[in-house]
Amino acid sequence: MNKMPDEPGRDNDRTRSMLAVVICVLVYLGYSQYLNHKYPDYMKRPAPTEAANVSQVSQVESQAQTESGVPQSQAAKPAESASVPAKPDIKLAASSDLTFESDVATVTVDQNQSAIQSVLLKKYMDRIGADGKPINILDSAMVVQGIVGGSSGQPAVTGVFSAKRDGEVLTLSRQDGPWLIEQTFAPGKSEFDFDATIRFTNTSGQPQTLRGNALVTQTINTKVATASSLLPGSPTEKPRIVANLKDSDQFVYADSFCEERGAKELSVNNSDVRFFGFDRHYFLAAFIPAKTKTSLSTWMMERAPGTPADLCSVAMMVTEDFGVVNAGQSAEIVLNGFLGPKVAELLKRKSVYLADTLDMGWLDVLAQPLLLAIKGFEGVLKNYGLAIVLLTILLKILFYPLTKKAAESAHRMKKFNPEMQRIRERHKDDPRTQQQEVMRFMAAHKLNPMQGCLPILPQIPVFLAFYRVLSSAIELRHAPFFAWIQDLSVADPYYVTPLLLGAGMFIQQKLTPMTGMDKTQEKVMLAMPIIFTVMMLTLPAGMVLYMLTNTVMSIAQQQWLNRKLTEAAAG
């Protein structure tokens, strides 16, 4: 048979086949370069074991979920509905095994992420009204994982945890090379306690060097709708990242932390770590290392493209160098957790350091007694608004001697005011001589205009401390007074009490003698009610209630003293 020449069509097919192979190779190389650029740690890691391989694939899949615009905490579902492959070495738990129920809270764990999925507080609602539901103090699932080796920037793993529930103890485990890593979750001794233990067990047949880490991460929503205030240094409901390092509180607002892409003050090496965690103004999710002499790293996790700007993923990692761990031996990192409301007694019971997160400011020495008094009166009156009114009345009675002394000074000033006016008229062309003569006259008659400020001076720190209490104490959150005031911790929705306060202050100004003042000073003083009214529009209703009660009491005391002093002068 004669050899047939190649047909033109066959040459074209061969050419197309070679071209297809070249294109496939280029696509593969291009995609490899993309992955190497996008996930450098993933591409550079050595060939893993089977369990670690599942872990790494899950990391990339988790990042892809985040890139789609859905936070990882939302993309990952609880274990019974998670898209975890039913591998023989992964034991899935029922939803009931992942839930811890108590009289005060419901804590749910996510097996897929080894995370505390939610913490619902039964006695605290997310809003006022019949449609209010138990509040979840976490913005997203809070990952709690053991990591071997690594450093800051270490990603969390997903989808490789086996679960086992034994009574009140839940253990999530995975194999990472020679190490069996177990995360154990269990309620603590007191309410709102929830502890985590990270255990590393050497399953190889020879000693291994261990650098163990306890990784805690959470995606925080930094955008919080909160009322503004005209007072400088006012507390805010913005979430914070908190820690006590080297016996120093390190509190950073989450939005500032993420804008600056991390803060050095939230990291420490081989030093005292009293606690670390996430603060939501009225609620706290924090951990206390059982071994306080340790290292803590805090960083902002890489923000994937398409992630909303208000979402910020923050990681905090405790690191221990355990040295050599023999075959079959274990090493542990124990984290004692507090997941609950920032009630002073509860925080102090857990740790005296946690109480600092109450954020009462530098007037804590006054704020704490005021809060105790309000809570004590509320226990009897069953209304925090009435408790504030009663405490204000008692404070006015306590300051009455100062009020009386100021009224007596003002009455004497009024008596000598005509003579001082004649001195001013006599030296009206020489202000310096005028001032010297007036001061000489007042010294001769033992007149002190500053005594009129005596009742005001002690009220300034009390006012500021009261404000801190009403803005920070969870006891006042959603606490009703009556009628339209259903939350003393936020502003009066209809501005009724601020307007009443302004009217009351105007009446008080008219009843208070303005002796020794020139016309300009009198006009400034008459403008004070307007200034205070504007300022009170944004302050908590409880704060305005305190000021309104204080003003009414001041008017009553002023009227009483004016009448008594006039009768004494006439008699």
Side-chain angles (χ1 to χ4, degrees):
M1 180 179 293
N2 294 330
K3 185 177 180 181
M4 297 294 293
D6 290 340
E7 300 176 5
R10 186 171 298 179
D11 289 337
N12 292 337
D13 290 342
R14 188 176 294 118
T15 302
R16 282 195 294 266
S17 298
M18 293 181 64
L19 183 61
V21 171
V22 171
I23 291 175
C24 289
V25 171
L26 291 176
V27 169
Y28 172 78
L29 293 175
Y31 187 65
S32 298
Q33 288 297 319
Y34 166 76
L35 289 178
N36 188 55
H37 174 73
K38 189 66 177 178
Y39 311 113
D41 294 333
Y42 167 69
M43 299 302 294
K44 293 177 182 178
R45 295 175 75 174
T49 62
E50 180 182 1
N53 186 50
V54 176
S55 167
Q56 291 176 344
V57 172
S58 300
Q59 292 172 27
V60 178
E61 290 176 347
S62 176
Q63 283 186 274
Q65 288 174 338
T66 307
E67 289 178 357
S68 65
V70 180
Q72 183 177 339
S73 61
Q74 297 177 15
K77 303 296 182 183
E80 62 176 2
S81 60
S83 57
V84 181
K87 293 175 63 65
D89 58 339
I90 295 181
K91 297 178 181 178
L92 300 182
S95 59
S96 58
D97 290 335
L98 299 172
T99 302
F100 295 85
E101 194 84 28
S102 71
D103 294 336
V104 296
T106 300
V107 180
T108 304
V109 175
D110 179 1
Q111 177 182 348
N112 187 54
Q113 302 181 81
S114 179
I116 301 173
Q117 179 72 29
S118 63
V119 181
L120 302 178
L121 303 186
K122 297 181 178 180
K123 296 181 180 179
Y124 299 89
M125 301 295 107
D126 58 357
R127 62 177 63 87
I128 298 174
D131 59 341
K133 298 178 181 179
I135 191 169
N136 180 12
I137 70 170
L138 301 179
D139 284 342
S140 66
M142 184 168 63
V143 168
V144 182
Q145 293 184 6
I147 302 289
V148 175
S151 59
S152 295
Q154 181 75 34
V157 297
T158 58
V160 293
F161 299 96
S162 291
K164 179 182 177 182
R165 178 75 177 257
D166 184 8
E168 285 296 287
V169 179
L170 172 67
T171 302
L172 303 180
S173 60
R174 70 182 177 95
Q175 190 74 33
D176 188 354
W179 299 103
L180 172 64
I181 305 176
E182 297 172 296
Q183 288 83 202
T184 300
F185 300 97
K189 297 179 180 179
S190 303
E191 57 182 355
F192 306 112
D193 287 1
F194 197 74
D195 302 333
T197 300
I198 314 297
R199 182 179 298 110
F200 305 89
T201 303
N202 182 359
T203 59
S204 71
Q206 56 187 358
Q208 299 284 342
T209 301
L210 174 63
R211 178 181 173 86
N213 307 280
L215 179 67
V216 178
T217 75
Q218 188 183 181
T219 299
I220 303 171
N221 184 359
T222 60
K223 184 177 181 180
V224 179
T226 179
S228 61
S229 172
L230 298 179
L231 287 180
S234 301
T236 172
E237 293 186 22
K238 294 193 299 183
R240 301 184 301 179
I241 307 164
V242 295
N244 181 285
L245 310 176
K246 299 180 180 179
D247 289 333
S248 176
D249 291 329
Q250 305 290 345
F251 302 160
V252 179
Y253 287 116
D255 56 353
S256 300
F257 182 87
C258 294
E259 287 174 3
E260 299 171 4
R261 302 189 64 80
K264 293 180 180 179
E265 63 266 29
L266 285 167
S267 298
V268 71
N269 184 42
N270 193 28
S271 189
D272 290 328
V273 179
R274 302 296 182 180
F275 70 85
F276 66 94
F278 306 97
D279 184 347
R280 282 190 60 189
H281 188 67
Y282 290 116
F283 307 99
L284 181 68
F287 290 101
I288 303 171
K291 181 183 177 182
T292 57
K293 198 77 169 182
T294 185
S295 298
L296 178 71
S297 302
T298 306
W299 69 93
M300 173 188 170
M301 300 172 69
E302 190 67 29
R303 191 191 298 272
T307 302
D310 299 330
L311 297 181
C312 174
S313 296
V314 177
M316 310 186 81
M317 188 166 72
V318 172
T319 301
E320 291 287 340
D321 286 314
F322 293 101
V324 176
V325 178
N326 291 325
Q329 299 298 307
S330 300
E332 292 183 343
I333 298 177
V334 179
L335 302 177
N336 298 312
F338 178 87
L339 311 175
K342 289 165 60 176
V343 177
E345 294 80 4
L346 296 176
L347 296 174
K348 290 177 181 178
R349 186 189 308 164
K350 186 69 175 178
S351 168
V352 292
Y353 296 98
L354 285 183
D356 293 343
T357 62
L358 283 173
D359 196 23
M360 294 294 182
W362 59 277
L363 289 169
D364 181 79
V365 67
L366 288 176
Q368 292 294 346
L370 288 174
L371 177 58
L372 289 175
I374 292 174
K375 291 170 65 175
F377 293 148
E378 191 276 337
V380 177
L381 301 173
K382 305 303 179 184
N383 186 295
Y384 274 107
L386 294 178
I388 292 173
V389 171
L390 178 58
L391 178 58
T392 307
I393 293 173
L394 293 179
L395 288 174
K396 286 300 294 182
I397 294 174
L398 178 66
F399 292 140
Y400 176 75
L402 296 178
T403 303
K404 181 181 178 182
K405 194 172 184 66
E408 291 173 346
S409 176
H411 196 77
R412 292 189 69 234
M413 289 284 290
K414 183 178 179 180
K415 176 181 178 181
F416 290 101
N417 193 49
E419 294 184 47
M420 288 189 291
Q421 285 297 114
R422 284 193 289 270
I423 294 174
R424 291 190 178 95
E425 284 295 324
R426 191 162 53 246
H427 302 285
K428 62 181 179 179
D429 296 329
D430 189 353
R432 183 175 181 179
T433 302
Q434 179 192 88
Q435 183 179 13
Q436 291 175 345
E437 290 298 319
V438 169
M439 295 300 296
R440 189 177 292 112
F441 178 85
M442 293 174 66
H445 294 84
K446 297 180 179 181
L447 301 176
N448 185 2
M450 295 304 296
Q451 286 185 344
C453 300
L454 285 177
I456 299 176
L457 293 178
Q459 290 184 46
I460 293 175
V462 172
F463 170 85
L464 295 175
F466 228 117
Y467 177 65
R468 302 295 296 200
V469 168
L470 293 169
S471 301
S472 302
I474 194 171
E475 289 83 357
L476 277 299
R477 176 183 180 268
H478 293 178
F481 180 33
F482 80 101
W484 71 95
I485 300 179
Q486 293 299 308
D487 188 350
L488 289 166
S489 68
V490 300
D492 184 334
Y494 301 109
Y495 308 121
V496 174
T497 48
L499 293 176
L500 289 176
L501 174 62
M505 293 187 71
F506 181 77
I507 294 173
Q508 183 183 6
Q509 288 281 11
K510 286 295 185 181
L511 295 175
T512 302
M514 295 186 185
T515 54
M517 294 185 182
D518 56 30
K519 296 299 182 181
T520 302
Q521 290 174 321
E522 288 184 12
K523 291 179 180 178
V524 171
M525 292 302 296
L526 288 174
M528 291 302 294
I530 299 175
I531 297 173
F532 264 84
T533 299
V534 174
M535 185 171 66
M536 291 292 160
L537 293 177
T538 61
L539 294 189
M543 186 75 253
V544 184
L545 181 62
Y546 160 73
M547 289 296 296
L548 180 59
T549 306
N550 185 78
T551 300
V552 172
M553 284 291 297
S554 296
I555 292 174
Q557 288 182 346
Q558 188 69 50
Q559 286 290 85
W560 165 266
L561 288 170
N562 285 347
R563 187 168 74 250
K564 286 294 183 181
L565 291 173
T566 301
E567 290 175 356

